[in-house]
């Protein structure tokens, strides 16, 4: 019994020392450049529209009656436009939120450019943080918030996140 307690004590002491060593490591983030952020935006936006087209084709095959019946005068669907807008918004938020959550802060564009989303305080990304970040992207003129120097758009600023260059950051 004494040997078991002694072994447990040594393991616990070793674990505490290991955690203490990890606390002394400094993390240095380097924000992603404007160019990389722009490529991220283009690739992710293109990926979203490919997904949207794919889902529309699948929906047309499964529910062909939903796509029938256009208003002759306006050329728009006779169905409720509000419903389609809500579906679009949910898909847009879900696209960014789920892909970044599943990959630990990386979207298709971020994989391509070697960037990643992190929280400013170093805490892990949660679905609520990523939901907030993704929903803020829908604010009109939010895209113009990219033009500051350094690049710190509203969806980063208001969700306490930033996009870092993985290769240049010391993590």
């Amino acid at each position: 019994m004494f040997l078991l307690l002694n072994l447990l004590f040594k393991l616990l002491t070793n674990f505490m020392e290991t955690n203490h060593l990890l606390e002394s490591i400094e993390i240095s983030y380097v924000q992603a450049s404007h160019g990389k952020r722009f490529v991220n935006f283009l690739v992710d936006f293109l990926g979203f529209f490919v997904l949207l087209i794919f889902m529309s084709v699948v929906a047309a095959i499964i529910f062909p009656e939903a796509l029938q019946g256009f208003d002759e005068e306006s050329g728009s669907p006779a169905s409720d436009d509000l419903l389609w807008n809500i579906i679009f918004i949910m898909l847009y938020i879900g696209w960014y939120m789920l892909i970044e959550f599943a990959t630990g802060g990386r979207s298709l564009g971020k994989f391509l450019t070697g960037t990643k989303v992190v929280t400013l305080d170093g805490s892990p990304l949660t679905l609520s943080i990523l939901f907030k970040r993704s929903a803020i992207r829908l604010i009109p003129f939010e895209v113009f918030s990219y033009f500051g120097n350094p690049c710190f758009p509203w969806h980063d600023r208001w969700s306490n996140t930033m996009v870092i260059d993985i290769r240049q950051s010391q993590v």
Side-chain angles (χ1 to χ4, degrees):
M1 185 67 159
F2 179 73
L3 284 172
L4 185 62
L5 286 174
N6 191 19
L7 180 64
L8 184 61
F9 178 75
K10 284 182 181 180
L11 285 173
L12 186 60
T13 306
N14 189 21
F15 177 74
M16 290 172 63
E17 287 175 4
T18 303
N19 280 346
H20 179 67
L21 291 174
L22 291 176
E23 288 175 359
S24 65
I25 295 175
E26 265 189 59
I27 297 174
S28 173
Y29 293 139
V30 175
Q31 274 190 309
S33 67
H34 284 85
K36 287 186 177 189
R37 296 296 300 261
F38 184 66
V39 171
N40 291 349
F41 171 75
L42 289 179
V43 170
D44 293 342
F45 205 67
L46 180 66
F48 171 70
F49 275 101
V50 167
L51 174 73
L52 197 61
I53 291 169
F54 174 76
M55 292 182 76
S56 297
V57 169
V58 170
I61 293 169
I62 297 173
F63 306 109
E65 65 277 357
L67 299 177
Q68 294 174 356
F70 280 84
D71 185 2
E72 303 275 331
E73 293 174 12
S74 68
S76 65
S79 62
D80 187 13
D81 287 339
L82 178 63
L83 175 65
W84 289 110
N85 286 334
I86 291 171
I87 290 170
F88 177 84
I89 288 169
M90 288 173 40
L91 286 174
Y92 189 78
I93 292 172
W95 164 254
Y96 278 104
M97 182 179 74
L98 294 177
I99 200 166
E100 286 181 345
F101 184 75
T103 60
R106 300 183 80 185
S107 62
L108 298 176
K110 290 179 185 71
F111 272 110
L112 184 68
T113 60
T115 57
K116 176 181 178 173
V117 176
V118 295
T119 57
L120 294 177
D121 63 0
S123 62
L125 292 169
T126 62
L127 280 175
S128 64
I129 290 170
L130 292 171
F131 175 82
K132 183 178 183 181
R133 186 178 151 74
S134 301
I136 292 169
R137 285 185 170 107
L138 291 169
I139 295 173
F141 306 112
E142 192 270 342
V143 73
F144 294 114
S145 67
Y146 280 83
F147 294 125
N149 195 8
C151 183
F152 202 45
W154 293 343
H155 67 270
D156 284 343
R157 189 175 312 147
W158 297 344
S159 63
N160 295 319
T161 60
M162 70 187 290
V163 176
I164 63 166
D165 190 319
I166 295 172
R167 294 177 194 116
Q168 294 180 4
S169 296
Q170 183 180 17
V171 181

